[in-house]
Amino acid sequence: MAKVIKIALAGEGGQGVQSIAEILAEAANEEGKNALYIPNFGVEQRGGVSIAYVQISDGAIGAPKFVKADILIPLSPRAVKRTKMHAGKDTVYIYDNSLVQEAEVNDNVVGMQYFDVTPPCPTADEANRDMQQDMIAGEPKTCSFTKPGPGVDPADIPENVKKVIACPANDIAKNELHPRVFNIIILGAIIAATEVLPLDTIKNALEIKLGDKFKANPQLRDMNFKALDRGYELIKSAM
Amino acid sequence: MQEVRENNVLQPAMPKCWNEETKPHKFCPGCGHGMILKALGEAIDELGIQEKVVFGCDIGCSLLSWDFFACDSVQTHHGRTTPVITGMKRANPDIIGIAYMGDGGGYAIGSQHLFNAAVRNEKMTIILCNNCNYGMTGGQMAPTTLPGMKTETSPYGRDVEQTGYPTKGPEMVAAVAPEGAYVARGTVANIRQLKGFIKKALENQLAGNGISFVECLSSCPTNWRTNAKQTWEFVEKDMAQYFKVGELRTPQAKEGK
Amino acid sequence: MAEVSLQGEQRVFMTGNEVVAWAAVAAKVDIMYGYPITPQNEIMHYWTRLAPKYGKRFLQTEDEISAGFTMLGGVMTGRKAFTATAGPGNVLMQESCVMAEMMRLPAVYVIQQRGGPSTATVIYAQQETQLTCFGGNGEGHRIVFSTSTHQELFDYTLKAFNAAWTYRFPSFVLGDGYQAKMREPLTIYEAAARGVDLVPTTPLVGEAKPGQFKHLRNTYNTEDELYEVVMANQRDWDAMAPKVVEWKDMHCQDADVVFICHGVVARAAVGAVEELRAQGKKVGLFRPITVRPFPDKQLADAVKNAKKVIVAESAYGQFLKMVDLALCGSKVERVPVLRPGIGITTEELVEEYNKL
Ligand SMILES: Cc1ncc(C[n+]2csc(CCOP(=O)(O)OP(=O)(O)O)c2C)c(N)n1
Ligand code: SF4
Ligand SMILES: [Mg+2]
């Protein structure tokens, strides 16, 4: 039976959790692997945490959701609390230890029966600007993670996991790159932690997804790839 | 309107019949639902009927108001709030029954109920939020979607050849309801007037005259994908051009008093 | 990903709702009737975008009762039609479905189950299993395919149209919110590219020849008259059942314990069986693909050597009842895992096994 790698990502609406999951799953599919991605969805709530479940395997994939993740990545203090049940003894736990405030969510979808299934592009300058209006739109969400705050409470980090890695993706994005490539750093981190896909596959996937924008603004490509490499290196050295 | 100062900013007071525990409310920023319910709340306060009201909300974004008021409330099915409140009022005429719904709930799936409640002149109040689409399910075409307007199920714009023209609900109710009915169309762009309409509607129920129906032109910036300025333009110009604001039926006018 | 098309075949990665829309295109459906409801909305969203490109039509009706009956109108004219819904919408569709049963209309319904009762959740459940199989004032003369992968969603949507037009019983594709919203790879294809024949359609009304008019009837005067009609339908149904019934089993031959599930829950069971087999445990899986007609003999046969069966479903006993009925003569011990409105994972099933 081929090993199935189970990845759970959780964050605030607007952190781009669903877009990372989607890029990851699509890249795996392009590599000829089996991939399954399912967002959690429901009637949106204020303060709701968005969770994405991704599974990648060379063989068949079972149930769309799972209890214990191989890689669990909660990206906000609230997400850390919400995802405790997914941490197990074999879980590699990567969390963002930036000192950020609880997300300031511009929650313009509170109450909607929708989740960001097709997420807005993470590199857009303005929320929803890039939305393909004539496509099945996911829900536009934005949030700002630029305000300093207490960050994750260390007491909330689960203990009996395989490995805990802190990754200050938000700080790096804000201070070294651009807040918007925050989730691309995380994407790099996942690749390093799972080794399921070569980094180049993801670059390819980004190229396909954001190709037009890269062409219009080559700096964007640079910044995204830098973010990807940065996330990758960070976790590689910690693993 | 009463006003209080908070952080040195003028804040309109919350209607007394609002359930403070559930505020801030759950609608998107810029959504008209909250404004309509504010007008309704003030009207309830002014009439002092908080304890007598039974508030029924539909399935649609109106469902988010199931705990909005400090009044007895019930969430029903999509389109079925009119019959649920009808049933209550028939069984216990002492209540003030308010059915709150969206345009999909009232004019599509629940249109037969609206029509027949009007024909029977049910002594209840129906308040309907017209936001030109199905908000809760992610912006599909509604009976009220304007000609040419793009929605998830009219991706190339509403084609009136295929789907007809937007439903004019108050006009329909006004056409079929017997004497004693109160019918009006207000807009969130004129809250004072809207509150006046809603208050008259409730008074009509209190007086036992007949059905009272108020459609409210409302906003759904989330699904319209509009910013604040565009949202207001749409409500004030595009919608108001098609849907004429004003009173269509008052009991007095009908009786020629 | 390359532009999706239906020329030949193509491997794609998409949500289940999109899969259904493409399958309907592949089935050469003429018209979809529908009313918005989560988690089925995107079937309509994709269809309204695809339909004009393929010269197809769409009507958004005023509710599901209307969507069901407009579809009946559509199929009576000999056009291929379908609708899709969920939860409370499925309840409303039942009225049209019993008319289709009585009048033998090739109606096709796609159901993406959500939590119930009432408006409950928009997410996921298997609580419409009984409703979809028996939800009318009739004998449940329907064909219900319960899918568990996107590939099946595509294959069985195609099949549902063929079954409906071959046997003239209403046909359902029974999916759920998870299948609707998740993405996974599958191969979509033009029916011809796979040698799948699309059953031709014929009009019941609207193309009359002089002197040959049809009078479609739905009401009968006497008990005996009705009895004849229902029994004739029943005989057709009985003759059809063995031809359409489908199931999958896995390692049942030597299994001491057999999981019995349908739909997306069967995926969890596949995972559990693989994991437990790798540990040398003698477990198997039986999965009806058609929950109506139910593969009762096949099930009884599959578990004849087993000591216990674990029946797992995201509902409180709707599927269990069907299993119980099929196994009424068998002494095998039944261990129910009943989780209304909530998903079941591989880990949970392994745990249930370990508790035995
Ligand atoms: C029988 C049934 N059909 C469909 C739905 C799905 N549904 C939920 S809300 C809604 C539309 C809401 O639109 P509207 O009534 O205009 O209210 P809004 O959200 O725009 O305020 C629909 C179709 C349902 N809950 N029940
Ligand atoms: S989706 Fe539209 S109607 Fe619903 S709460 Fe948001 S703005 Fe209001
Ligand atoms: Mg509406």
Side-chain angles (χ1 to χ4, degrees):
Chain A
M1 177 181 141
K3 165 96 181 123
V4 179
I5 297 184
K6 301 175 185 148
I7 304 163
L9 282 143
E12 307 290 327
Q15 267 186 319
V17 162
Q18 304 298 344
S19 51
I20 319 174
E22 198 183 66
I23 293 171
L24 186 66
E26 255 170 28
N29 176 59
E30 290 289 316
E31 272 289 289
K33 290 184 184 292
N34 265 325
L36 190 154
Y37 153 55
I38 187 167
N40 69 333
F41 63 97
V43 175
E44 246 307 17
Q45 299 162 35
R46 205 172 284 280
V49 169
S50 172
I51 308 180
Y53 300 88
V54 178
Q55 300 180 67
I56 299 173
S57 177
D58 288 319
I61 295 174
K65 291 189 183 173
F66 45 80
V67 183
K68 301 297 177 199
D70 296 315
I71 318 277
L72 175 56
I73 311 178
L75 295 173
S76 76
R78 258 200 297 244
V80 163
K81 292 200 180 85
R82 253 302 295 279
T83 54
K84 282 199 170 139
M85 70 283 195
H86 295 315
K89 62 180 187 350
D90 298 319
T91 304
V92 174
Y93 191 92
I94 304 176
Y95 74 104
D96 190 334
N97 65 337
S98 312
L99 295 183
V100 291
Q101 229 179 27
E102 197 80 316
E104 211 182 83
V105 183
N106 175 3
D107 43 2
N108 52 352
V109 287
V110 167
M112 299 274 304
Q113 290 183 354
Y114 241 59
F115 229 122
D116 36 1
V117 178
T118 306
C121 150
T123 50
D125 291 330
E126 200 181 289
N128 313 340
R129 166 68 65 74
D130 60 299
M131 294 277 302
Q132 290 160 290
Q133 307 271 329
D134 56 346
M135 289 260 306
I136 311 302
E139 273 325 307
K141 292 187 174 188
T142 51
C143 75
S144 135
F145 277 75
T146 49
K147 285 200 183 150
V152 172
D153 180 351
D156 287 335
I157 306 292
E159 271 162 16
N160 301 316
V161 295
K162 191 164 151 196
K163 197 173 182 75
V164 175
I165 305 173
C167 166
N170 190 72
D171 284 348
I172 297 173
K174 194 174 63 180
N175 301 332
E176 300 174 24
L177 299 156
H178 188 285
R180 253 174 241 293
V181 294
F182 159 75
N183 59 353
I184 304 295
I185 299 179
I186 296 298
L187 192 54
I190 298 172
I191 299 303
T194 54
E195 292 287 5
V196 275
L197 298 170
L199 206 51
D200 282 344
T201 323
I202 298 286
K203 288 191 175 158
N204 242 338
L206 283 177
E207 197 75 58
I208 291 170
K209 222 175 166 69
L210 306 175
D212 290 346
K213 295 200 181 63
F214 286 175
K215 238 179 247 142
N217 181 0
Q219 266 182 324
L220 262 187
R221 177 190 284 113
D222 260 18
M223 198 162 67
N224 273 278
F225 287 3
K226 234 188 236 164
L228 195 68
D229 289 333
R230 192 75 170 77
Y232 185 86
E233 293 306 330
L234 211 76
I235 300 302
K236 258 279 95 80
S237 58
M239 286 298 281
Chain B
M1 200 200 301
Q2 234 187 335
E3 281 169 339
V4 292
R5 267 175 192 279
E6 191 183 291
N7 300 333
N8 237 358
V9 182
L10 271 184
Q11 296 280 344
M14 232 186 237
K16 189 172 125 287
C17 65
W18 274 21
N19 181 4
E20 275 175 54
E21 283 167 29
T22 57
K23 304 295 166 300
H25 61 62
K26 303 167 198 145
F27 303 106
C28 310
C31 174
H33 273 291
M35 300 177 232
I36 298 167
L37 296 178
K38 171 139 203 205
L40 174 60
E42 286 172 4
I44 292 173
D45 282 359
E46 286 172 23
L47 295 168
I49 53 174
Q50 184 178 2
E51 277 72 30
K52 291 178 77 181
V53 163
V54 179
F55 175 81
C57 61
D58 212 68
I59 300 301
C61 288
S62 68
L63 76 81
L64 299 170
S65 64
W66 69 276
D67 57 355
F68 192 98
F69 291 106
C71 295
D72 281 353
S73 307
V74 57
Q75 220 173 25
T76 76
H77 268 205
H78 184 41
R80 313 300 177 205
T81 311
T82 303
V84 170
I85 299 296
T86 299
M88 281 186 192
K89 185 76 185 184
R90 288 274 175 156
N92 178 0
D94 293 338
I95 64 162
I96 303 296
I98 302 174
Y100 183 57
M101 64 198 66
D103 39 13
Y107 298 153
I109 191 164
S111 55
Q112 53 174 338
H113 306 311
L114 177 63
F115 179 88
N116 286 294
V119 168
R120 293 192 306 260
N121 222 7
E122 295 293 344
K123 295 171 184 51
M124 60 183 288
T125 301
I126 300 174
I127 298 175
L128 185 145
C129 164
N130 173 354
N131 56 13
C132 292
N133 75 68
Y134 286 11
M136 172 139 281
T137 39
Q140 295 84 6
M141 190 180 81
T144 46
T145 296
L146 295 182
M149 188 173 164
K150 282 187 185 168
T151 69
E152 286 289 354
T153 49
S154 59
Y156 308 108
R158 179 174 186 166
D159 174 2
V160 292
E161 288 287 315
Q162 293 288 327
T163 63
Y165 284 89
T167 300
K168 292 189 174 174
E171 284 80 353
M172 179 195 79
V173 173
V176 300
E179 268 177 38
Y182 176 84
V183 182
R185 180 186 282 118
T187 166
V188 295
N190 187 347
I191 289 288
R192 272 187 55 176
Q193 181 198 47
L194 177 65
K195 187 180 80 180
F197 290 165
I198 292 177
K199 194 170 165 190
K200 278 197 193 168
L202 291 170
E203 281 169 346
N204 203 48
Q205 182 176 176
L206 281 163
N209 288 339
I211 196 159
S212 45
F213 178 69
V214 182
E215 179 190 287
C216 317
L217 303 185
S218 181
S219 54
C220 179
T222 299
N223 287 304
W224 295 351
R225 306 188 192 289
T226 46
N227 61 26
K229 184 163 165 279
Q230 296 161 330
T231 304
W232 281 110
E233 266 174 21
F234 194 80
V235 175
E236 289 184 316
K237 294 215 189 86
D238 302 40
M239 286 180 82
Q241 199 169 24
Y242 193 89
F243 302 111
K244 294 282 175 261
V245 170
E247 290 181 314
L248 288 93
R249 283 279 298 275
T250 60
Q252 290 81 359
K254 183 81 189 181
E255 285 153 26
K257 275 183 203 164
Chain C
M1 198 161 69
E3 174 108 10
V4 179
S5 90
L6 268 178
Q7 267 159 19
E9 54 178 68
Q10 187 182 7
R11 184 183 145 112
V12 293
F13 185 71
M14 53 176 64
T15 66
N17 281 336
E18 191 174 357
V19 171
V20 172
W22 279 108
V25 174
K28 299 205 163 38
V29 165
D30 296 297
I31 181 163
M32 174 184 187
Y33 305 87
Y35 188 75
I37 189 162
T38 311
Q40 160 286 135
N41 289 316
E42 295 86 353
I43 298 179
M44 287 186 331
H45 298 179
Y46 283 107
W47 179 262
T48 50
R49 284 157 181 78
L50 288 172
K53 294 186 185 137
Y54 290 87
K56 308 298 185 184
R57 297 176 201 184
F58 172 72
L59 176 67
Q60 183 175 321
T61 54
E62 65 277 18
D63 63 13
E64 290 87 351
I65 297 180
S66 175
F69 282 102
T70 46
M71 174 188 42
L72 298 192
V75 298
M76 282 190 251
T77 67
R79 305 301 190 271
K80 235 185 230 182
F82 84 116
T83 186
T85 190
N90 191 4
V91 173
L92 297 183
M93 295 264 180
Q94 292 304 318
E95 192 186 349
S96 64
C97 187
V98 280
M99 175 162 153
E101 274 181 41
M102 175 60 114
M103 300 176 78
R104 304 291 299 272
L105 303 174
V108 174
Y109 302 82
V110 177
I111 307 296
Q112 303 287 31
Q113 299 170 87
R114 57 185 254 176
S118 189
T119 306
T121 78
V122 300
I123 306 171
Y124 160 84
Q126 293 188 314
Q127 293 170 287
E128 292 161 53
T129 308
Q130 287 285 341
L131 175 73
T132 304
C133 293
F134 299 105
N137 58 337
E139 305 305 329
H141 287 153
R142 310 137 180 224
I143 305 163
V144 182
F145 298 103
S146 176
T147 59
S148 84
T149 63
H150 279 9
Q151 191 62 56
E152 287 184 359
L153 210 47
F154 189 86
D155 296 346
Y156 285 99
T157 302
L158 272 180
K159 240 183 204 173
F161 286 103
N162 272 353
W165 285 95
T166 305
Y167 302 107
R168 305 288 171 132
F169 285 113
S171 299
F172 286 84
V173 177
L174 184 63
D176 58 67
Y178 284 175
Q179 296 187 61
K181 298 279 187 176
M182 72 187 208
R183 282 169 200 243
E184 72 172 351
L186 74 150
T187 303
I188 63 173
Y189 48 84
E190 218 178 353
R194 286 281 180 95
V196 176
D197 288 329
L198 297 177
V199 175
T201 64
T202 43
L204 291 171
V205 293
E207 294 176 28
K209 303 206 171 60
Q212 296 181 2
F213 301 108
K214 293 197 191 100
H215 304 94
L216 308 182
R217 188 177 186 188
N218 180 7
T219 317
Y220 295 88
N221 300 353
T222 66
E223 290 162 295
D224 318 81
E225 237 180 347
L226 171 68
Y227 180 77
E228 287 307 317
V229 174
V230 176
M231 288 311 287
N233 287 348
Q234 185 66 48
R235 282 189 295 274
D236 287 353
W237 169 263
D238 290 338
M240 172 204 70
K243 291 183 234 162
V244 299
V245 75
E246 286 192 50
W247 71 94
K248 265 193 181 151
D249 55 19
M250 194 175 157
H251 303 304
C252 285
Q253 230 66 60
D254 67 335
D256 294 329
V257 175
V258 173
F259 288 100
I260 309 176
C261 324
H262 78 103
V264 82
V265 176
R267 296 178 71 114
V270 171
V273 168
E274 283 182 352
E275 196 175 319
L276 292 165
R277 278 273 163 183
Q279 298 167 18
K281 306 274 167 52
K282 291 198 165 159
V283 296
L285 163 67
F286 185 90
R287 172 194 159 215
I289 294 175
T290 48
V291 282
R292 180 97 181 120
F294 198 86
D296 31 21
K297 285 184 207 68
Q298 294 82 356
L299 172 60
D301 189 52
V303 303
K304 65 176 187 289
N305 300 323
K307 296 188 184 72
K308 291 180 183 183
V309 296
I310 299 177
V311 186
E313 61 173 314
S314 296
Y316 205 84
Q318 301 198 15
F319 176 65
L320 178 64
K321 274 190 205 121
M322 299 176 173
V323 172
D324 273 342
L325 199 62
L327 296 183
C328 60
S330 152
K331 282 197 280 295
V332 66
E333 187 190 333
R334 275 145 241 180
V335 182
V337 178
L338 310 177
R339 309 268 161 85
I342 192 165
I344 297 176
T345 61
T346 300
E347 290 123 297
E348 284 161 334
L349 289 185
V350 170
E351 208 179 296
E352 292 295 336
Y353 173 86
N354 287 333
K355 271 199 260 174
L356 292 180

